[in-house]
Every structure is written in structure tokens, then in C-alpha cells.
């Protein structure tokens, strides 16, 4: 008797939904089962108080790939990006740096700190634009296995080398991105600490457990070159309705082609018979059968909780256990009765009005100190803060005249040297509030409701391993053909007909949709084997 579904996807995060939507368009009968009452994983919108809707984890649409948006016709299903004013960095001594989109304005901003660096920016930008096509191409590659020795893998490796035959001297630049620190990489062009801080900020403030001076952190400099904002898919910006609108649009796209979604359906076990995935058992005992199973859950959850490790090779089990995923970031969501004062914006906006994006990171030493304190198991005395006020451009999020403020901060380690997160959550909030008040002096008077999410909360609510927003470090030893494990980085797994489609596989975290897209591609390539 044929099972009722071709594919069951365990987890309704945006990558699982993306995979399902692509498969549904190809005629695959797909069921997505999600443990939470809503889909989206970390790309979700929720009420933090009655009438106040906020992006709860991910907070800004900057990486979802145009190919995914256009392939799945997401704009037909509620996907709407609202462009936002550029981010303003609040630096030491009351100085600011505005991240203008226009290259000439950006260079002029740099020149406020160093004329030499302002003149050097055009060369740096040209250098990164030469790398960009190869980095974009790499996103869509199914990782090869260079060590297997099998004919099939050798052919795939040869194909990979052929497709990248034009990389030329950029090969060495990409290698440098993977191995150098952002600080050292940027120092080849720039002299100003402030300029290096702004350009390299995401090396220490992008969710990884790293600093600007950590070897390998230069890879995060590629963040700004892997998405083309000039396509019909639209620019980066705030999602109308919050980040959950991305997940909802992908869900509707898939459902329009037959994909089914069940929420509040936690999976207890992925069923395996004779080494082959055959379906899932839900908590409560219901079993649902399928020809294949696709894990959108993290690699750690999939292979240590939903499967019996005895069904997996010991070397693979060791790789999964040893994924480095120690988070040092936290989230704060605030409901405000009005916009707080922001004196610094008088320098950047002629009207002196609040603009919706600010990053508080006064200097490099501040960032380094916060990171080093977290490495010792301590909450940073003064964390960096990325501050967004999406309700300025999207008033649907809060009652009229009221606002939502989203804060992404660090560093605060998942593993504390003393105490636990349940008892130290308010201490974290106190330190974050002190930093907020340095730029928004009256903010405490405007706060009606607050939600503080520690690294432990990010794990509990969103199943992010150790609270890590990328499911694990994106570093040379944990990327491409080593993510999550050598020999099983191609979206397949040691269990026949069990596939992977989460940030645990290439190219990693961020709301890109690429792991879901690539997994669907592999699954359809294997269709003759499982259909």
C-alpha cells in the first residue's frame, strides 16, 4: 500500500516551507508538520502584548534570495518589503556614521573619519564586487565530497571545479575571507578604527560567536554582497507585518500547489525501517507514513533526539555532537507608548526625528571587551545593540502613536560561569537598558511591555542549539562540505531517504531560503530512487 504522502517535512521554519513549496510545484505530495502553533521557526511574528506585534527572533529582511522570492511568486502571497532609512552607528564621543546605500555618499561618510580611507573605499568596493559573483554562485552549489573516492563524487567534484574555472585570482581572496579576521582583512585598505568597526561590524555582531579580530571572521564581510537588491524581488528592508510575513507567504505559495501544513504537531520520532526513513510518529502516538522524510529541525535535534544514534555511524554521531554552537547573542522586544528621544539623530536628520535603525557600538575596544567577557562566561557589562523601530514605517504593528522596538544584542554566553539564565534574565535586561538609555534617555518612561530572550530562551522557543541563530558557527571547519558533517553535507544523511533542509546545512543561517531550495533540488534529482 502506497503511503499517503511523498514527503513529510519535520519543522515549518522558512527553509522547510521553502523546500516544501518547491517540491509541491514539482507535483510532490508534501506534508509539513510543525511543533509550534504557527509556522516560521525564527522568522515569525507574534504579539508581545495585546495589539503589539513584533518580529520575535529574526528582525530584518536583508538576505532572502531574489531567486526564491520570484520562483515561489511570494509577492502574490503577501510578501511586501518596506525600504528603510539607512542604519546610523552611534560611535564614541557623540559621533555618527550613516550607512548610505549610495557609494559616493558612503565614501564621503568615511572621509569624515579619514580622507585616506574615503579615497580607498572605491578600491575596496571594486575588490568585493569582483568576489561577489563567485560567492553568490557558491550559495547555490550542492556541497561536493572531495574525500569519498567514489566515481559519482569525483564526477561532481570535477563539475564543481569546471563551474568555478573562471574564479582566477579571486580564489585567493575567497580563501582570505575564510581564514583572516575581518580586522586584518579591512586593514589592507583602511586605517581608521571607526571605519573598520562599521564595515566589519557583523563579524562580531552578526550572531556568530566571534569578534572583528577572530581568525575566519572576514567571511562575514561577504554578507553585503550575496544579495542583489536591484531585481524585481525588491530591496532589503522591513517586512510589512513582521518577519512572519515571509514564512506566511512561502506557506501560501506551497499550499496553492497542494502542500499541506499541520501546526501544533510535535514529532516524537522519525521512523526508520531497514535503514530507510518511512515517516514520523507524533507526540501522542499518531504515525504518518511517507516515501521520504525531510528534516527542517536542527542537525542536533534531528540526529540526537528524533533518531536513535545507534542507527547512525559513530563518526557521524561524533561530528554532530561536536558542532560548535555556543551562542552569545540575545533579543529584546519592546512595546512603547511613543518614540523615545534620540538626540543623536539631530546630527543625521535635519528634522531631528528618530530614524528606524541604529547600531550602538562606540568603538572597537567596546566590541572586543564584550566578546572577551562572554568567552569567560560573563554577561557583557556593556553589550553592543542593534536597534530597529519597524513601526515607524509599518504602523500596522502597534496601536496608533505607539511603537515596537526590536533589539539584537551581544555578547551574553549560553553557558554562564555562574548562576543560570532564569535567575539572571533581569540582570541582562538591566545592562541592555543602560546602553539603550545612552542614546534614548527617556526610553524607560516609554516602555509598556518588554520581552527579553536570553540564549537559553532562543533555544527553548525556537530550538536553536545553545541559542545559536545559525545552528552553529559558520567557519571554515563548519561550512560547505563539512556542514554538518563530511560525506553528508549534500542535504542527504546516513539514513536512506532522510534529507536535511535547515540552517545546519550549506550555506548556513540567515533568512535566505537557500538550504530549502538546494535540498529540494537534490530531492528532485533523487526522485527516481524514491518515487
Amino acid at each position: 500500500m502506497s503511503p499517503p504522502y511523498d514527503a513529510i517535512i519535520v519543522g515549518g521554519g522558512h527553509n522547510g516551507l521553502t523546500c516544501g513549496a518547491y517540491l509541491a510545484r514539482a507535483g510532490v505530495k508534501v506534508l509539513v508538520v510543525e511543533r509550534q502553533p504557527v509556522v516560521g521557526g525564527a522568522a515569525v511574528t507574534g504579539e508581545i502584548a495585546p495589539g503589539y506585534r513584533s518580529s520575535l527572533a529574526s528582525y530584518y529582511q536583508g538576505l532572502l534570495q531574489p531567486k526564491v522570492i520570484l520562483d515561489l511568486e511570494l509577492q502574490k502571497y503577501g510578501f511586501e518589503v518596506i525600504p528603510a532609512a539607512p542604519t546610523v552607528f552611534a560611535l564614541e564621543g557623540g559621533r555618527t556614521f550613516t550607512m548610505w546605500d549610495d557609494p559616493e555618499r558612503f565614501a564621503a561618510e568615511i572621509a569624515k573619519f579619514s580622507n585616506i580611507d574615503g579615497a580607498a573605499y572605491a578600491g575596496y568596493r571594486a575588490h568585493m564586487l569582483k568576489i561577489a559573483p563567485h560567492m553568490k554562485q557558491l550559495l547555490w552549489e550542492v556541497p561536493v565530497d572531495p574525500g569519498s573516492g567514489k566515481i559519482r563524487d569525483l564526477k561532481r567534484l570535477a563539475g564543481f571545479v569546471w563551474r568555478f574555472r573562471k574564479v582566477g585570482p579571486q580564489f585567493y581572496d575567497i580563501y582570505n575571507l575564510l581564514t583572516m579576521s575581518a580586522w586584518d582583512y579591512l586593514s589592507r585598505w583602511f586605517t581608521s578604527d571607526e571605519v573598520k568597526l562599521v564595515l566589519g561590524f557583523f563579524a562580531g555582531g552578526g550572531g556568530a560567536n566571534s569578534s572583528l579580530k577572530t581568525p575566519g571572521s572576514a567571511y562575514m564581510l561577504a554578507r553585503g554582497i550575496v544579495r542583489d537588491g536591484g531585481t524585481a524581488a525588491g530591496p532589503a528592508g522591513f517586512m510589512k507585518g513582521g518577519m512572519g510575513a515571509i514564512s506566511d507567504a512561502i506557506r501560501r505559495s506551497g499550499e496553492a500547489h497542494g502542500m499541506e501544513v499541520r501546526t501544533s504537531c510535535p514529532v516524537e520520532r522519525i521512523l526508520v525501517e531497514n535503514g530507510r526513513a518511512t515517516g514520523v510518529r507524533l507526540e501522542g502516538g499518531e504515525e504518518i507514513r511517507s516515501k521520504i522524510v525531510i528534516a527542517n529541525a536542527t542537525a542536533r535535534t534531528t540526529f540526537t533526539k528524533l533518531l536513535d544514534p545507534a542507527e547512525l555511524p559513530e563518526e557521524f554521531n561524533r561530528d554532530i555532537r561536536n558542532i560548535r554552537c555556543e551562542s552569545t547573542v540575545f533579543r529584546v522586544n519592546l512595546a512603547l507608548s511613543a518614540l523615545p528621544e534620540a538626540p543623536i539623530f539631530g546630527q543625521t536628520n535635519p528634522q531631528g526625528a528618530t530614524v528606524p535603525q541604529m547600531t550602538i557600538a562606540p568603538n572597537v575596544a567596546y566590541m572586543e571587551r564584550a566578546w572577551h567577557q562572554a568567552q569567560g562566561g560573563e554577561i557583557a557589562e556593556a553589550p553592543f545593540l542593534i536597534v530597529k523601530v519597524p513601526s515607524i514605517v509599518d504602523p500596522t504593528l502597534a496601536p496608533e502613536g505607539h511603537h515596537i522596538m526590536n533589539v539584537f544584542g551581544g555578547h551574553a554566553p549560553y553557558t554562564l560561569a555562574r548562576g543560570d539564565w532564569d535567575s539572571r534574565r533581569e540582570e541582562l535586561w538591566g545592562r541592555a537598558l543602560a546602553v539603550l538609555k545612552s542614546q534614548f534617555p527617556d526610553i524607560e518612561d516609554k516602555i509598556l511591555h518588554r520581552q527579553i530572550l536570553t540564549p537559553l530562551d532562543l533555544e527553548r522557543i525556537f530550538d536553536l542549539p545553545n541559542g545559536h541563530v545559525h545552528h552553529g558557527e559558520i567557519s571554515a571547519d563548519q561550512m560547505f562540505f563539512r556542514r554538518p558533517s563530511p560525506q553528508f553535507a549534500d542535504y542527504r544523511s546516513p539514513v536512506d531517504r532522510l534529507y536535511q533542509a535547515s540552517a545546519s546545512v550549506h550555506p548556513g543561517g540567515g533568512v535566505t531560503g537557500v538550504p530549502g531550495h538546494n535540498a529540494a533540488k537534490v530531492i528532485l534529482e533523487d526522485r527516481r530512487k524514491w518515487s
Side-chain angles (χ1 to χ4, degrees):
M1 181 177 177
S2 180
Y5 295 98
D6 294 325
I8 294 175
I9 300 179
V10 180
H14 87 277
N15 277 310
L17 295 169
T18 297
C19 182
Y22 273 105
L23 294 178
R25 283 172 176 259
V28 178
K29 190 173 184 182
V30 180
L31 171 67
V32 178
V33 287
E34 165 58 41
R35 68 188 180 94
Q36 297 280 26
V38 296
V39 297
V44 65
T45 304
E47 279 198 332
I48 58 173
Y52 297 86
R53 299 172 63 245
S54 173
S55 299
L56 299 181
S58 59
Y59 54 88
Y60 190 74
Q61 198 304 92
L63 293 174
L64 190 67
Q65 291 299 299
K67 175 175 171 51
V68 173
I69 296 168
L70 298 176
D71 283 355
L72 300 182
E73 303 177 286
L74 298 187
Q75 289 146 324
K76 285 175 52 177
Y77 300 101
F79 180 94
E80 182 180 347
V81 177
I82 306 172
T87 295
V88 173
F89 271 76
L91 301 176
E92 191 174 28
R95 303 185 77 184
T96 64
F97 191 113
T98 302
M99 303 287 285
W100 302 109
D101 290 331
D102 178 73
E104 291 186 4
R105 292 189 76 178
F106 197 94
E109 195 77 8
I110 289 176
K112 289 168 35 180
F113 297 86
S114 166
N115 287 324
I116 293 174
D117 288 359
Y121 179 67
Y124 170 75
R125 184 170 183 271
H127 166 81
M128 295 302 287
L129 289 177
K130 284 184 180 179
I131 298 173
H134 308 295
M135 298 300 290
K136 291 176 183 177
Q137 181 181 351
L138 192 61
L139 286 180
W140 307 103
E141 288 286 334
V142 174
V144 296
D145 181 0
S148 81
K150 296 178 182 177
I151 296 297
R152 184 196 72 169
D153 292 323
L154 291 174
K155 287 181 178 179
R156 291 185 59 223
L157 179 60
F160 174 80
V161 172
W162 178 254
R163 288 190 295 278
F164 280 83
R165 66 192 182 280
K166 295 181 180 180
V167 68
Q170 277 69 58
F171 171 83
Y172 301 103
D173 297 322
I174 294 171
Y175 179 82
N176 286 337
L177 284 174
L178 299 178
T179 57
M180 293 178 68
S181 73
W183 178 265
D184 288 337
Y185 199 91
L186 291 167
S187 293
R188 299 190 298 170
W189 283 272
F190 305 107
T191 60
S192 163
D193 284 6
E194 291 89 351
V195 172
K196 286 184 274 189
L197 167 64
V198 169
L199 289 173
F201 173 78
F202 281 104
N209 186 1
S210 61
S211 79
L212 278 74
K213 297 184 178 181
T214 302
S217 64
Y219 178 74
M220 295 301 286
L221 300 174
R223 178 188 178 97
I225 64 173
V226 296
R227 187 183 192 276
D228 184 354
T231 72
F238 291 110
M239 286 302 302
K240 185 174 182 179
M243 289 296 284
I246 292 177
S247 305
D248 291 341
I250 301 172
R251 173 179 178 166
R252 293 188 192 106
S253 175
E255 289 178 330
H257 292 81
M259 183 176 79
E260 297 179 32
V261 178
R262 290 177 60 179
T263 56
S264 299
C265 286
V267 171
E268 180 181 80
R269 181 70 68 178
I270 294 172
L271 301 175
V272 177
E273 297 176 7
N274 299 317
R276 174 178 293 177
T278 60
V280 298
R281 182 170 65 244
L282 305 180
E283 291 183 7
E286 180 186 357
E287 294 189 356
I288 312 172
R289 298 287 172 165
S290 60
K291 295 177 182 177
I292 63 173
V293 177
I294 304 156
N296 176 233
T298 70
R300 188 169 76 176
T301 292
T302 299
F303 298 112
T304 67
K305 297 180 181 179
L306 301 182
L307 288 167
D308 182 350
E311 297 170 326
L312 303 166
E314 179 50 37
E315 186 174 356
F316 178 82
N317 286 333
R318 184 175 64 249
D319 288 339
I320 299 302
R321 288 195 302 268
N322 290 331
I323 292 173
R324 292 183 296 104
C325 55
E326 179 76 7
S327 174
T328 61
V329 297
F330 61 90
R331 285 280 280 108
V332 174
N333 298 309
L334 303 175
L336 305 177
S337 61
L339 288 175
E341 294 179 6
I344 201 169
F345 285 129
Q347 304 174 37
T348 60
N349 187 343
Q351 288 76 41
T354 303
V355 295
Q357 304 189 81
M358 177 194 283
T359 296
I360 305 174
N363 54 51
V364 173
Y366 181 102
M367 292 287 291
E368 292 294 304
R369 184 163 54 250
W371 183 72
H372 281 287
Q373 287 171 348
Q375 299 314 294
E378 298 297 334
I379 303 169
E381 293 176 6
F384 74 80
L385 301 180
I386 299 171
V387 182
K388 310 285 187 184
V389 189
S391 51
I392 292 177
V393 295
D394 181 8
T396 68
L397 297 174
E400 185 175 357
H402 291 211
H403 287 278
I404 293 292
M405 178 179 281
N406 300 135
V407 179
F408 180 86
H411 292 276
Y414 175 86
T415 305
L416 292 166
R418 56 185 178 83
D420 58 64
W421 274 118
D422 289 327
S423 63
R424 298 189 69 186
R425 184 178 290 104
E426 290 302 306
E427 180 183 348
L428 172 64
W429 164 238
R431 297 186 184 191
L433 178 61
V435 176
L436 281 173
K437 290 171 71 173
S438 72
Q439 301 300 328
F440 305 95
D442 66 341
I443 190 169
E444 196 166 11
D445 298 331
K446 303 293 195 296
I447 297 172
L448 299 174
H449 308 280
R450 56 186 170 86
Q451 179 188 52
I452 294 87
L453 300 177
T454 70
L456 179 60
D457 295 320
L458 295 174
E459 180 178 62
R460 286 170 171 168
I461 298 170
F462 304 107
D463 194 37
L464 299 173
N466 288 25
H468 203 296
V469 297
H470 301 304
H471 291 200
E473 289 298 300
I474 304 178
S475 53
D477 65 312
Q478 291 191 171
M479 65 171 56
F480 201 51
F481 52 69
R482 295 182 61 89
R483 190 175 187 93
S485 171
Q487 301 178 23
F488 299 104
D490 61 356
Y491 310 97
R492 299 176 178 91
S493 80
V495 177
D496 186 27
R497 301 192 184 186
L498 173 62
Y499 296 86
Q500 303 177 73
S502 75
S504 296
V505 289
H506 174 72
V511 183
T512 68
V514 178
H517 167 281
N518 290 359
K521 176 183 175 181
V522 168
I523 291 163
L524 292 174
E525 286 176 356
D526 287 353
R527 194 169 190 168
R528 288 185 180 180
K529 299 178 182 178
W530 56 259
S531 63

